[in-house]
Amino acid sequence: MPAKTGTQYCERINAQTVPCWYKGELLNGKRSEHIAFSGLMKTQKFMYDMQSDPQLAERLTYASPSDGKPVGMSFLPPASSDDLRKRREAMTLWAQVHHGFLGRSPDYMNTAIMAFYTAADLLNELSPKYAENLRNYYAYCRDHDITLSHAFIQPHASKISGQLDATEDAIAAKVVERTKEGLIINGAFMMATQAATSDEIFVYPSPSPAPFDDENPFAFSFAVPNDLPGITLICRDTYAASSDYNYPLSSKYEEMDNIVIFDHVLVPHERIFFAGDEQMSSALFSGSNFHVHAGHQVLCRYIAKTEFVLGTIQLLTDTLDLKSEAHVVEKTARALAGLESLKALAIAAEAGAVPDGRGYVLPAPKPLMAANLLYPKLYPEMIEILQLLSSSGMIMVPQEEDFQSGAAESLNIYLRGTDMSSPERNALFRLIWELGAGSFGGRQTQFERFFFGNAITVSNRLYTASAQDQSQRELVRQFLAYSTK
């Protein structure tokens, strides 16, 4: 099956039978009709439908090497700078639909599985079968347009248990049995964003720092349909609401985060990418250049999100007649500078593309890692600008129902803006409330602060990527040598 439609996406998710807990109850019925998932699924339905739009299909798909049918552009392993451009343009089209608020839009994990595919040869050292499994799984995802979630992070209790407890007692994610059909897996994972609205889960935990055990290893990676027997999903509370007017963001872009429990889940051998080699765990992750390829997709999202928040700042400035205020100019200019910096980094990453040594190219790592370091500071700063400029105006915001009540006449008189009707101006402030004070906006800010790790981790990636570059040091050495002649 080639690139799927939005209807096919919804049908697949609605057909799932995985136990999914929400507010202490097992969910029944169609996910697309449940408040916790319906807005997101509607948005992603629209995104998938774009792939078959005659005006967009050429930019969002390419011909599968297996059968020539159209498949999603975000699966394309880039072999040239032009391929990077094609990927960016496709990912930007989707990012402009969700305005950067979907941190796990389907192209993120499409990019991730593509990155691991490009490094499949590394698995030959461990087992040619593992390498074949990873290549086959990538092709399966590409040609069936699989919507993927991922499970990487284990609960704190699991990490501690892996360090302190004997292998048989540890609750850290591990292989508990080897069978003729596959491996039996136990464990729990946090923050599997969109697990309940995806087809499959890609699992790649950091190995627990426990003594090596060949029979019951803690190091492994695999991918499975997310409703295999033994898998359970547990949802956090939703921030979504049904009213687009009252909750303009969460009603469309709320991504559910899940805890995923594996209780004696049988993972078929053909779905195992490695098991039992901790060195391979780190070698495959680094060799895939995951953070570089994913960083390219993430930068498209950063730009779309910055454009949206900047536009919100500018509309707010207009309606409050603050355009000539010096402090407003300075604040807006900071957001403008951030946007232009992100755009320049995207161009630099593609212009500086480098071979990966396996027949593909990488966007230049340093511009992408610079963006990963800049954005966790830029986004909260833009949100603070909205909070400061809107002041108490973001707090006293009537709801949609008020404009349909007997109070509407008064609201229409007293809440209008310079160039906006009262409902329009109020809608702007409801948007600002969701961004700056609501639960959805709070998750977004925390999400961006720690998207690719804490500040030290992200800084270290950029520092390490630059460590071998002697050009700046040599520039100063030559200057000093000339000065001391």
Side-chain angles (χ1 to χ4, degrees):
M1 187 180 109
K4 66 190 175 191
T5 65
T7 297
Q8 289 168 330
Y9 162 68
C10 291
E11 286 174 348
R12 287 190 199 175
I13 305 306
N14 287 336
Q16 289 183 4
T17 58
V18 58
C20 184
W21 291 86
Y22 178 74
K23 291 189 174 182
E25 295 184 357
L26 274 174
L27 296 182
N28 295 304
K30 297 179 179 179
R31 299 266 169 84
S32 62
E33 296 176 356
H34 191 283
I35 186 65
F37 315 108
S38 58
L40 169 72
M41 289 185 65
K42 184 176 180 180
T43 297
Q44 292 192 158
K45 178 179 184 295
F46 180 85
M47 291 162 60
Y48 278 119
D49 278 337
M50 291 169 66
Q51 295 183 136
S52 55
D53 184 328
Q55 296 183 339
L56 298 173
E58 188 173 333
R59 298 169 65 189
L60 285 169
T61 63
Y62 71 104
S64 169
S66 63
D67 59 14
K69 293 180 180 179
V71 293
M73 187 67 76
S74 51
F75 286 108
L76 176 68
S80 65
S81 294
D82 191 51
D83 284 346
L84 291 174
R85 176 192 58 80
K86 291 176 181 177
R87 287 179 51 81
R88 172 176 51 80
E89 290 181 354
M91 294 184 297
T92 296
L93 283 171
W94 269 10
Q96 289 172 341
V97 171
H98 59 78
H99 301 296
F101 289 104
L102 298 189
R104 291 295 182 268
S105 58
D107 48 330
Y108 178 82
M109 283 306 297
N110 294 355
T111 297
I113 199 65
M114 177 276 292
F116 288 113
Y117 161 77
T118 65
D121 285 351
L122 294 174
L123 295 170
N124 283 324
E125 302 173 19
L126 191 60
S127 167
K129 176 60 177 173
Y130 288 149
E132 181 185 5
N133 286 352
L134 183 51
R135 294 190 195 97
N136 289 342
Y137 185 68
Y138 158 75
Y140 169 76
C141 289
R142 177 197 66 205
D143 293 342
H144 292 79
D145 211 358
I146 296 299
T147 306
L148 271 174
S149 179
H150 69 63
F152 288 1
I153 302 172
Q154 297 190 62
H156 181 70
S158 297
K159 296 176 185 177
I160 296 300
S161 177
Q163 298 175 46
L164 301 179
D165 298 330
T167 298
E168 61 271 17
D169 298 324
I171 62 170
K174 66 180 183 292
V175 176
V176 296
E177 186 181 348
R178 295 175 181 269
T179 72
K180 185 170 63 175
E181 293 78 19
L183 303 182
I184 308 297
I185 306 289
N186 273 6
F189 299 92
M190 308 289 289
M191 289 298 293
T193 304
Q194 284 216 45
T197 49
S198 296
D199 296 313
E200 304 212 357
I201 302 176
F202 180 75
V203 181
Y204 200 141
S206 298
S208 173
F212 176 75
D213 187 303
D214 185 56
E215 189 63 27
N216 302 113
F218 293 88
F220 52 79
S221 178
F222 62 85
V224 290
N226 69 358
D227 59 353
L228 281 186
I231 296 178
T232 300
L233 306 179
I234 303 169
C235 301
R236 61 162 169 79
D237 193 8
T238 187
Y239 310 136
S242 57
S243 170
D244 285 348
Y245 183 91
N246 289 339
Y247 303 95
L249 297 175
S250 59
S251 63
K252 305 177 187 70
Y253 311 131
E254 161 72 324
E255 294 179 290
M256 177 55 70
D257 301 305
N258 297 100
I259 298 173
V260 183
I261 309 295
F262 286 80
D263 183 7
H264 290 79
V265 175
L266 172 61
V267 180
H269 285 299
E270 65 270 17
R271 290 300 195 93
I272 303 290
F273 307 135
F274 69 84
D277 190 306
E278 293 190 15
Q279 289 186 335
M280 182 53 67
S281 177
S282 58
L284 179 61
F285 203 90
S286 60
S288 71
N289 296 293
F290 167 81
H291 286 108
V292 178
H293 283 301
H296 193 215
Q297 187 272 344
V298 170
L299 184 49
C300 298
R301 183 178 67 77
Y302 284 166
I303 292 170
K305 197 169 191 177
T306 304
E307 289 175 334
F308 185 87
V309 178
L310 175 61
T312 306
I313 292 171
Q314 291 169 325
L315 270 180
L316 175 64
T317 300
D318 291 345
T319 197
L320 294 179
D321 297 317
L322 294 174
K323 287 182 287 188
S324 60
E325 295 287 337
H327 73 98
V328 173
V329 172
E330 186 271 337
K331 289 180 174 66
T332 306
R334 294 207 304 269
L336 285 164
L339 175 60
E340 294 306 316
S341 297
L342 294 172
K343 289 180 177 179
L345 289 169
I347 294 171
E350 292 172 21
V354 294
D356 71 351
R358 296 188 289 266
Y360 304 105
V361 300
L362 290 171
K366 288 190 286 186
L368 298 177
M369 293 176 184
N372 296 156
L373 188 61
L374 290 172
Y375 202 69
K377 297 180 177 66
L378 174 62
Y379 184 76
E381 182 179 16
M382 292 191 297
I383 297 304
E384 184 180 39
I385 289 171
L386 280 173
Q387 293 168 335
L388 292 173
L389 294 183
S390 60
S391 185
S392 60
M394 69 184 293
I395 297 173
M396 189 56 251
V397 278
Q399 301 186 68
E400 180 178 27
E401 294 80 359
D402 294 310
F403 287 94
Q404 301 165 356
S405 71
E409 184 177 355
S410 296
L411 293 176
N412 288 331
I413 294 172
Y414 292 110
L415 295 188
R416 65 179 182 268
T418 301
D419 56 356
M420 284 184 169
S421 68
S422 293
E424 290 172 329
R425 183 180 184 277
N426 194 70
L428 173 61
F429 277 94
R430 291 210 65 87
L431 168 62
I432 294 169
W433 168 260
E434 267 217 294
L435 277 171
S439 299
F440 177 87
R443 178 194 180 275
Q444 290 287 320
T445 300
Q446 192 74 347
F447 180 80
E448 298 299 1
R449 282 195 176 110
F450 296 100
F451 180 80
F452 260 164
N454 61 50
I456 300 300
T457 299
V458 177
S459 298
N460 188 61
R461 289 192 195 113
L462 177 57
Y463 186 85
T464 301
S466 303
Q468 303 304 315
D469 184 356
Q470 296 290 320
S471 58
Q472 289 88 13
R473 296 177 180 86
E474 189 58 32
L475 179 70
V476 178
R477 286 194 188 99
Q478 292 179 9
F479 174 80
L480 292 175
Y482 180 82
S483 301
T484 55
K485 285 182 180 179

